[in-house]
Amino acid sequence: MWNAGSLTLVCTALTVLPLTGWAATERTTSCAHPSTKVEQNSTCPPDKEHVIVRGKRAGFTTPTSATHLSAQDMQAYRMQTLGDIAERVPNLSFTNTTPNNPVLMVRGLGGTEDEGPVLYTPTLIDGVPMPSFAMGQMFDFSNVDVLRGPQLTEGINAFGGMVSAQSRDPGKKLAGALDFEYGTGNRKRATFSGDMPINASTSLRLSVGGETADGYIHNRTLDRHDTGGWHGWFGRIKLLHTDSHGGEWRFSLHHMLNHGGNDYFETPEHARNHVSYNTSAGVNDTEYLLGSAQYHRRFNQHMLLDVTFGGASTDWRYSNPYSVFSANSGFTLPTRQIGGSVMLSGSAGTLDWKGGIYGQQIKRWAPYDFDMSPYYASRTTATLGTTNVAFMGELGWHFASNWRLAPSLRIEHVDSSISHWTSAMSGSVPVAYNMQESLPRQTLSKTAPLPGLKLEYNPRSTNSLSQFGWLSYTRSFLPPNYSPYGSYASTVAQPYAPSYGNNLEIGYRLGQPSGKWSVEAIGFSNFLSNLQVSATNGAGESLIGTAQSAHSRGMEATAHWKPMDTLQFSAFLGLTYAAYDHFVFGGTDYSGKQMAGTPRSNFGFSGEWHPFPGWMVNASVVRRGHTTLYPSSAVQNAPYVLVDAQIEKRWAHWNVALYGHNLADAGYFTRGLSGGYVVAANPRQLGFRVGVNF
């Protein structure tokens, strides 16, 4: 698939871990956000300082807006898909055509990755990026980190932000766990995980599981309750080895396979009640196979090395019920990618630094069929290829006791191509016609220098207060490419332009060092040009258009309070106003309109209570504001409130939990089409979970 020269250029490792560091640090204690759980016999630093990244600076002193979710958080609040996460952290949102295929948006930016190969917000598993729509169910992760805003020195280019998930490391003792879950919609989920030490320096972890559900749709035409259901399985094997020099080697192989129906598009009235009158179930099948190799080594107290290399194969087979468009419509979307990164960081005196190289090659096949014969039939094919290489570096100068200045530079080079593009359109009623077009291979290249600058304030902590503040500027970039689903050669041959952003961010954190309380406030303003947007032109072609100018501005705020050892509270607030300043496409003027899929406000509260030994009660309330639906800004989504709760009892080797998800049964939508059809989110879900450790 790739020639030897290109492969050699790419094989320098994907991305390292989500938060940047300069000085060598010990691995910190694992705590959680939003509930900030504390491990036994440990003390956690305030708020974001508990973010764990090997060889990285603690999250409290990281100059970026981030949310850290531990495995305990995801279980307590039943976050099992990226969509669950997106609804419960500030200024992260999503769109999807089915619940298992979310496409993420950060601060209003994103949504196009199922239309083209560009990722606004890369999603990483063990350092390997993949399209978020392929991720489906999450399983056996130790943590997920959400970074908001562009990231220049984190390996892969991140225009809007980054989501990085780390799988659990193998334990050093022989152990295992079984879990079973049953809930609304005849949903059954079973998982097994086990750790097996091979010797004193090597251990292995295996995790496997399966899930089946009827879904939450009642199809009255077919008199079935399983047309929105799914069944699948997932597994992971991971090896951890520590060599004689203290270097840590991690090798992991991940596989997920999910088959399901696609009975989701309906009128707003029917969708809100989870009722369908479609004439078939449709198809929604996803699969990914991902391999990752990571190496981390501390050479001394002032130098660290992180290397990651990996690849992923993702497949998405999708077709709508015939009755949605009165046509057979759908696509297959296989994607293959390989790449990696090498990152070195260190410090000397008042200076610290990091630098590295990143490379990746991606190929995606994008056929699409739309057949409403005898009136009209269309089939397009396309193969998209992208190769990018980046050199990045950052130099920090501690020019005063409490101050640090850090300029950075990323040089991104991208080669893009579209090949094997064909289009066939035909019909026999009322007049017979047949048109076929094709294009020779089209290529383009772009090199973009991306500077950044950070000013940090970090006064010495006292016994009662820690502080950290920052002001940053970042130049961001999305590479140009081609629209694979266009119907005419004249439009497909014209690539869409690269997007650029000038991004400002200011933030401040305060906290009590023992973790009793913390607060954080972050403001941002992004000035965007040639912003890439999924849109439809006057000829009905689905293309990536560019808004000449746009902006996104707002804030994130978080707070945590632990009044006693058995009780703690957390809260967040996100405000975003993301709009087009100048955007005319397909004869429609979108200038001044809010970007689709992005609520202006979202906020939430959560609490955790341990009333008795072995008992834990969690509850959260999240409100998300009014928005228009992606990609059709004509369809409205009213504000909604999500209420989740769980009560869990643990004793000896057993645990039992009762949970409720979306307890208020909020009815809202996650996708909209110009014809008025929408996709509804899942309704109220109740269930129980039983687990045993051995």
Side-chain angles (χ1 to χ4, degrees):
M1 183 162 57
W2 300 288
N3 59 49
S6 296
L7 186 60
T8 302
L9 185 65
V10 171
C11 292
T12 44
L14 249 179
T15 183
V16 281
L17 303 151
L19 297 179
T20 307
W22 286 261
T25 59
E26 296 297 329
R27 187 165 179 148
T28 57
T29 302
S30 174
C31 301
H33 180 79
S35 53
T36 315
K37 301 169 191 66
V38 181
E39 292 185 351
Q40 187 176 8
N41 299 324
S42 66
T43 300
C44 292
D47 196 32
K48 299 266 193 298
E49 192 170 2
H50 51 255
V51 176
I52 300 175
V53 187
R54 291 183 302 274
K56 305 295 177 177
R57 184 192 305 195
F60 188 80
T61 55
T62 298
T64 193
S65 178
T67 298
H68 175 79
L69 298 166
S70 70
Q72 293 85 359
D73 287 317
M74 290 182 280
Q75 185 178 77
Y77 297 98
R78 200 171 168 273
M79 300 179 184
Q80 295 183 339
T81 71
L82 286 178
D84 294 334
I85 290 178
E87 290 181 308
R88 290 161 177 85
V89 301
N91 286 341
L92 183 63
S93 55
F94 73 103
T95 179
N96 64 14
T97 49
T98 73
N100 286 329
N101 302 104
V103 176
L104 299 177
M105 292 173 276
V106 179
R107 296 174 172 176
L109 305 179
T112 63
E113 69 177 47
D114 54 350
E115 298 285 343
V118 174
L119 301 181
Y120 273 81
T121 305
T123 301
L124 286 68
I125 298 179
D126 286 355
V128 178
M130 59 185 297
S132 63
F133 62 71
M135 192 165 178
Q137 296 292 325
M138 301 188 302
F139 64 98
D140 204 39
F141 288 146
S142 62
N143 61 273
V144 174
D145 290 285
V146 179
L147 279 67
R148 291 172 286 269
Q151 310 295 319
L152 296 185
T153 58
E154 302 303 328
I156 189 171
N157 179 46
F159 185 82
M162 179 187 296
V163 176
S164 180
Q166 293 293 321
S167 63
R168 288 180 183 267
D169 277 347
K172 296 183 178 181
K173 296 181 179 180
L174 186 64
L178 281 168
D179 285 277
F180 175 78
E181 183 179 327
Y182 181 80
T184 308
N186 196 28
R187 181 176 178 272
K188 299 181 286 289
R189 179 183 175 100
T191 60
F192 165 79
S193 59
D195 296 321
M196 183 179 69
I198 298 175
N199 54 46
S201 59
T202 308
S203 53
L204 188 71
R205 181 174 179 85
L206 173 68
S207 56
V208 294
E211 180 171 302
T212 180
D214 292 341
Y216 312 104
I217 305 295
H218 179 195
N219 188 306
R220 293 182 174 173
T221 299
L222 303 175
D223 193 25
R224 288 172 54 185
H225 290 270
D226 61 351
T227 52
W230 64 90
H231 64 275
W233 69 273
F234 41 84
R236 176 181 296 119
I237 186 168
K238 186 172 186 179
L239 179 73
L240 172 61
H241 172 71
T242 303
D243 61 30
S244 58
H245 301 287
E248 296 175 347
W249 298 83
R250 288 171 171 83
F251 301 93
S252 57
L253 184 65
H254 320 246
H255 191 204
M256 190 277 292
L257 178 65
N258 193 81
H259 295 284
N262 186 29
D263 190 8
Y264 295 101
F265 282 106
E266 260 292 354
T267 64
E269 179 183 2
H270 294 156
R272 185 176 288 108
N273 295 311
H274 298 91
V275 171
S276 168
Y277 291 89
N278 286 312
T279 54
S280 66
V283 175
N284 180 60
D285 296 344
T286 55
E287 180 178 9
Y288 72 77
L289 178 65
L290 182 149
S292 172
Q294 297 172 297
Y295 179 67
H296 167 79
R297 181 180 173 185
R298 182 196 311 278
F299 289 98
N300 52 54
Q301 287 298 107
H302 302 285
M303 186 173 295
L304 297 169
L305 174 68
D306 282 287
V307 179
T308 302
F309 177 77
S313 169
T314 66
D315 291 276
W316 186 11
R317 189 166 69 91
Y318 175 97
S319 66
N320 291 302
Y322 181 87
S323 51
V324 172
F325 298 113
S326 297
N328 293 313
S329 61
F331 57 77
T332 55
L333 200 64
T335 303
R336 308 291 182 261
Q337 61 189 62
I338 189 171
S341 68
V342 177
M343 305 292 290
L344 191 65
S345 60
S347 63
T350 60
L351 299 178
D352 55 70
W353 53 271
K354 71 175 296 187
I357 183 173
Y358 160 84
Q360 186 182 38
Q361 192 167 55
I362 304 173
K363 183 165 283 190
R364 175 182 289 186
W365 293 262
Y368 184 80
D369 294 318
F370 187 90
D371 187 351
M372 54 187 307
S373 299
Y375 308 102
Y376 173 80
S378 170
R379 175 174 174 80
T380 59
T381 67
T383 302
L384 294 165
T386 303
T387 299
N388 63 302
V389 176
F391 300 90
M392 68 208 79
E394 182 165 302
L395 178 65
W397 175 35
H398 298 264
F399 63 90
S401 60
N402 298 332
W403 295 89
R404 177 178 178 270
L405 186 67
S408 60
L409 178 66
R410 180 186 184 94
I411 300 176
E412 184 92 9
H413 176 79
V414 181
D415 293 318
S416 301
S417 68
I418 186 169
S419 58
H420 305 102
W421 182 87
T422 64
S423 174
M425 293 181 285
S426 62
S428 58
V429 176
V431 177
Y433 71 95
N434 188 297
M435 186 192 78
Q436 296 189 13
E437 290 190 314
S438 63
L439 275 176
R441 177 183 171 89
Q442 308 286 306
T443 62
L444 59 89
S445 295
K446 185 68 177 179
T447 300
L450 305 173
L453 183 65
K454 297 174 184 176
L455 177 64
E456 303 173 13
Y457 174 65
N458 186 19
R460 183 180 298 274
S461 297
T462 67
N463 291 332
S464 60
L465 184 66
S466 293
Q467 302 177 68
F468 180 75
W470 74 94
L471 174 66
S472 67
Y473 162 79
T474 307
R475 175 76 165 167
S476 56
F477 163 77
L478 270 183
N481 216 300
Y482 298 89
S483 298
Y485 299 116
S487 301
Y488 299 96
S490 58
T491 53
V492 174
Q494 297 296 320
Y496 51 84
S499 300
Y500 292 96
N502 291 303
N503 311 283
L504 298 174
E505 185 173 289
I506 185 170
Y508 206 83
R509 299 185 181 113
L510 295 170
Q512 205 271 344
S514 66
K516 186 174 183 178
W517 64 270
S518 64
V519 293
E520 172 189 74
I522 298 164
F524 64 90
S525 186
N526 305 329
F527 304 91
L528 309 162
S529 60
N530 293 331
L531 184 66
Q532 296 168 16
V533 183
S534 176
T536 302
N537 68 3
E541 295 177 278
S542 179
L543 305 173
I544 303 296
T546 54
Q548 181 176 334
S549 61
H551 69 270
S552 171
R553 59 176 178 260
M555 68 166 294
E556 292 103 25
T558 62
H560 167 71
W561 180 41
K562 188 175 183 180
M564 59 184 71
D565 289 341
T566 58
L567 182 65
Q568 51 191 335
F569 302 99
S570 295
F572 77 83
L573 169 66
L575 301 175
T576 299
Y577 180 65
Y580 304 113
D581 299 321
H582 186 199
F583 182 32
V584 179
F585 194 85
T588 301
D589 189 350
Y590 298 95
S591 303
K593 292 187 177 181
Q594 184 179 352
M595 294 182 191
T598 302
R600 290 197 183 187
S601 66
N602 57 102
F603 59 87
F605 307 89
S606 63
E608 180 182 299
W609 181 36
H610 296 261
F612 308 104
W615 288 87
M616 182 171 68
V617 180
N618 295 90
S620 71
V621 179
V622 174
R623 184 189 186 273
R624 297 182 66 85
H626 173 274
T627 185
T628 56
L629 291 183
Y630 186 94
S632 173
S633 57
V635 184
Q636 305 293 314
N637 206 23
Y640 59 91
V641 176
L642 297 173
V643 180
D644 303 323
Q646 178 174 278
I647 181 169
E648 182 178 25
K649 175 67 171 79
R650 291 180 175 269
W651 67 96
H653 299 286
W654 292 87
N655 65 88
V656 177
L658 300 176
Y659 66 81
H661 208 55
N662 187 13
L663 283 171
D665 201 20
Y668 60 100
F669 309 123
T670 60
R671 189 124 176 146
L673 298 180
S674 56
Y677 283 97
V678 298
V679 174
N682 292 336
R684 177 192 298 117
Q685 300 154 64
L686 304 173
F688 69 89
R689 187 184 70 252
V690 178
V692 58
N693 302 313
F694 52 89

